[in-house]
Amino acid sequence: MKFDASTNLSGPLPDYLLPCFNAYKHEILKTLHSPSVASSQTESPSINDIAAKQLTDLVDGTVLRAEGNSCLLLGPRGSGKSQMIDACIEKVAFKRPIVLRLSGWVQTTDRHALREIAFQLLQQTGTALLPDTEMHAEAEIDEENPFLEVADHLSGESNLTLPPSHLHALIPILLTLSRPVIVVLDAFDLFALHPRQSLLYCLLDTVQNCRASSENRGIAVVGITSRVDSVQLLEKRVKSRFSGRTIRTAPPGSLQESLAMAKIIMQPSGVCEGDTHKEEWKQWWNEGVQKFLEDNEVATILNETFGLSRDFKIMIRMLTRCVTQLTPNQPNLSLKAVIASAEIQRSRPRRKHLDNLPYPALCLLIASAHADTGGHKSFTFEMLYETYKDQVRALVSAPVQFNGGSIGMMRCPREVLISTFEDLVAVKIFTCTMASPSIIAKQFIKYRCAVDRHDIKGIVEKAGSTNLKKWLNKSQ
């Protein structure tokens, strides 16, 4: 019996389509992990498409023609800068270039950067570039200096920590290697904050001195940053050696562009080659994706998400969660999965443990809601305790009548409330808004409630206490 793709869009799938289902799911998740690959397949070139072509030309010039190049890859966070440089390097992987990756967040000094360069060169070339005799001679001269790091013992091996002065000796050697070198500087602006900018000076000076010849193999320095004034941070001597080439990236500029990229990702090509049921599965899957993206409720959720943030990674995470939940019994993208994914991405998860709070904690939460209504965003324990005592006295004089009987409010000793208050502070439900000097008693330190009134109302209603509900409603 043939599977009717035009009518049966809700599974379960027949067994002969399971190989195509698994292959498509694997390929979609792989593309979602590197979404920049799909952006180049759109009808009109985007900003990232142009940037990718410029970066590819620069890397090709270094790897294929032994040029010396430098550029700055500039764009907001989440615009695909790192994925773009990785894709360009992967295209020239057949030439086996030496790729040195440094991060301004990790290599905070030139000494750390030099150590990382030496380590990565040793891993990729298998040989030490600096003569061992020179290193050992310097170690013997300074072995009495207790403030000099002579050796690190990593994995049972001794690696000499080179001083920053070796920058002028190590960096120029990169031109003499048998393979081209690509240096990727993540958080380029942080390297510009290093004293004297020695690392940047040596790298860019080496790039400037690179000449296409039989001895040189080419070197490229690519800086990655989201700070627009990074070039202005460079010293004059460093800026004069920088090419000034800036390649800009950008996230999708419109919802339609994001949906177009999502459609390309969700409809991969070149999958299930050789499978006799490929066309049947492809027709069924593409119709399901088209119906999913054209659904008005799905479009509303994606539009709201795009209005909050234009970061395409948010949509990627939403689609990833939807795809991972696909099963042979439920093989279609569903509105329910999108709603759950959007809720997780937009807001913090609800505090599930609040539903089981004890009675004294509920009293303190309601008292904090009254303090907020009274114009006191911050409160002390004594303020909450006085509010609680006033409510107890009010109920004693006018108890709640229920089925002919009166219901009074349960009284809690002061010690119990203090202990409960400290527990709420420990789990960050009450957060301190001031320093806690020793001269102030802890019951007079100001706090703020991290749970809003809407959540407090839901917790109290679930508890089912009539007195607590009436007390909370007074704060409206």
Side-chain angles (χ1 to χ4, degrees):
M1 180 178 179
K2 186 177 180 180
F3 188 65
D4 190 355
S6 60
T7 59
N8 189 357
L9 293 175
S10 58
L13 290 177
D15 293 340
Y16 66 87
L17 290 181
L18 291 182
C20 291
F21 168 78
N22 294 328
Y24 261 61
K25 184 176 180 180
H26 178 271
E27 183 65 23
I28 291 173
L29 291 176
K30 180 181 177 181
T31 308
L32 287 172
H33 183 69
S34 302
S36 60
V37 177
S39 63
S40 60
Q41 303 177 17
T42 53
E43 296 180 358
S44 58
S46 63
I47 296 178
N48 282 6
D49 294 334
I50 299 174
K53 185 179 184 306
Q54 295 175 350
L55 188 60
T56 301
D57 294 341
L58 183 142
V59 173
D60 287 346
T62 296
V63 176
L64 303 179
R65 297 186 295 273
E67 297 176 356
N69 293 307
S70 62
C71 74
L72 189 64
L73 198 57
L74 177 63
R77 300 182 186 276
S79 58
K81 300 185 295 295
S82 299
Q83 292 177 348
M84 187 176 298
I85 182 62
D86 290 343
C88 293
I89 294 175
E90 186 177 356
K91 291 180 181 179
V92 295
F94 65 94
K95 294 290 290 185
R96 299 180 62 246
I98 298 175
V99 182
L100 304 178
R101 301 179 184 271
L102 303 178
S103 174
W105 299 104
V106 181
Q107 286 78 42
T108 55
T109 64
D110 287 346
R111 178 186 291 271
H112 295 156
L114 180 60
R115 178 188 302 177
E116 184 64 21
I117 290 175
F119 175 76
Q120 294 188 25
L121 286 175
L122 181 63
Q123 295 296 313
Q124 299 186 53
T125 63
T127 58
L129 298 181
L130 292 179
D132 293 339
T133 55
E134 179 184 353
M135 296 167 60
H136 288 299
E138 183 170 348
E140 291 177 1
I141 296 175
D142 297 324
E143 68 178 329
E144 299 298 331
N145 188 348
F147 301 100
L148 179 65
E149 294 184 34
V150 176
D152 292 332
H153 298 281
L154 300 175
S155 303
E157 298 181 359
S158 179
N159 300 316
L160 189 64
T161 301
L162 303 178
S165 59
H166 278 72
L167 276 169
H168 300 280
L170 177 61
I171 301 301
I173 297 179
L174 299 178
L175 293 178
T176 65
L177 299 177
S178 59
R179 290 149 56 191
V181 179
I182 301 175
V183 183
V184 181
L185 302 177
D186 194 11
F188 179 85
D189 53 296
L190 297 183
F191 285 104
L193 300 179
H194 288 188
R196 297 181 299 278
Q197 301 178 359
S198 299
L199 176 65
L200 296 180
Y201 174 80
C202 292
L203 286 173
L204 296 177
D205 185 66
T206 303
V207 169
Q208 192 179 57
N209 294 332
C210 180
R211 298 291 184 269
S213 64
S214 58
E215 291 80 10
N216 297 337
R217 294 295 182 270
I219 181 173
V221 176
V222 181
I224 301 176
T225 183
S226 57
R227 183 168 175 174
V228 295
D229 62 340
S230 297
V231 178
Q232 306 303 322
L233 299 175
L234 300 178
E235 296 180 358
K236 184 177 180 180
R237 66 185 185 123
V238 180
K239 189 184 299 184
S240 64
R241 286 160 174 77
F242 178 56
S243 65
R245 186 186 293 112
T246 301
I247 301 176
R248 297 181 179 273
T249 63
S254 63
L255 178 61
Q256 289 70 24
E257 186 178 350
S258 297
L259 292 178
M261 294 176 61
K263 185 176 181 180
I264 294 173
I265 294 174
M266 301 303 293
Q267 295 179 347
S269 59
V271 186
C272 297
E273 294 294 340
D275 195 309
T276 57
H277 307 289
K278 173 187 175 182
E279 295 300 327
E280 181 181 354
W281 163 261
K282 183 178 180 180
Q283 178 188 356
W284 180 86
W285 175 257
N286 290 345
E287 288 184 6
V289 172
Q290 188 73 18
K291 181 180 178 181
F292 171 77
L293 294 177
E294 292 179 353
D295 186 272
N296 292 331
E297 296 185 18
V298 173
T300 300
I301 294 174
L302 297 180
N303 190 20
E304 292 175 352
T305 304
F306 187 82
L308 294 174
S309 174
R310 295 193 175 187
D311 189 353
F312 188 65
K313 286 184 177 180
I314 295 180
M315 183 175 291
I316 290 297
R317 289 193 290 266
M318 292 173 60
L319 294 177
T320 301
R321 190 174 188 274
C322 294
V323 173
T324 54
Q325 293 181 346
L326 296 179
T327 62
N329 292 328
Q330 296 180 346
N332 276 286
L333 300 170
S334 62
L335 174 63
K336 182 179 179 180
V338 175
I339 295 175
S341 300
E343 184 178 356
I344 293 175
Q345 295 299 322
R346 293 182 190 176
S347 60
R348 297 178 180 177
R350 296 291 183 184
R351 301 174 182 265
K352 296 182 180 180
H353 62 278
L354 294 182
D355 295 336
N356 300 319
L357 288 178
Y359 177 81
L362 295 178
C363 293
L364 293 176
L365 283 178
I366 297 175
S368 68
H370 279 274
D372 182 57
T373 305
H376 302 285
K377 295 295 183 182
S378 57
F379 49 81
T380 64
F381 169 77
E382 290 297 331
M383 294 172 60
L384 301 185
Y385 183 63
E386 289 298 325
T387 304
Y388 168 76
K389 288 198 304 182
D390 292 341
Q391 177 64 15
V392 171
R393 283 195 293 265
L395 285 182
V396 169
S397 59
V400 176
Q401 299 295 326
F402 182 75
N403 291 337
S406 60
I407 303 176
M409 189 170 179
M410 185 188 306
R411 298 189 180 186
C412 298
R414 177 185 174 89
E415 293 76 12
V416 173
L417 290 176
I418 290 180
S419 177
T420 305
F421 186 85
E422 293 176 350
D423 293 339
L424 295 178
V425 172
V427 296
K428 306 298 182 181
I429 295 178
F430 290 160
T431 57
C432 187
T433 60
M434 59 176 288
S436 54
S438 57
I439 60 175
I440 300 179
K442 60 181 179 180
Q443 61 266 29
F444 294 103
I445 298 175
K446 290 186 177 181
Y447 292 88
R448 180 174 296 177
C449 185
V451 183
D452 56 23
R453 191 185 183 283
H454 177 74
D455 291 337
I456 295 176
K457 182 178 179 181
I459 297 168
V460 173
E461 289 181 352
K462 189 171 183 178
S465 175
T466 305
N467 286 306
L468 294 182
K469 292 180 182 178
K470 290 179 64 68
W471 184 22
L472 179 62
N473 291 333
K474 288 183 181 180
S475 63
Q476 295 180 348

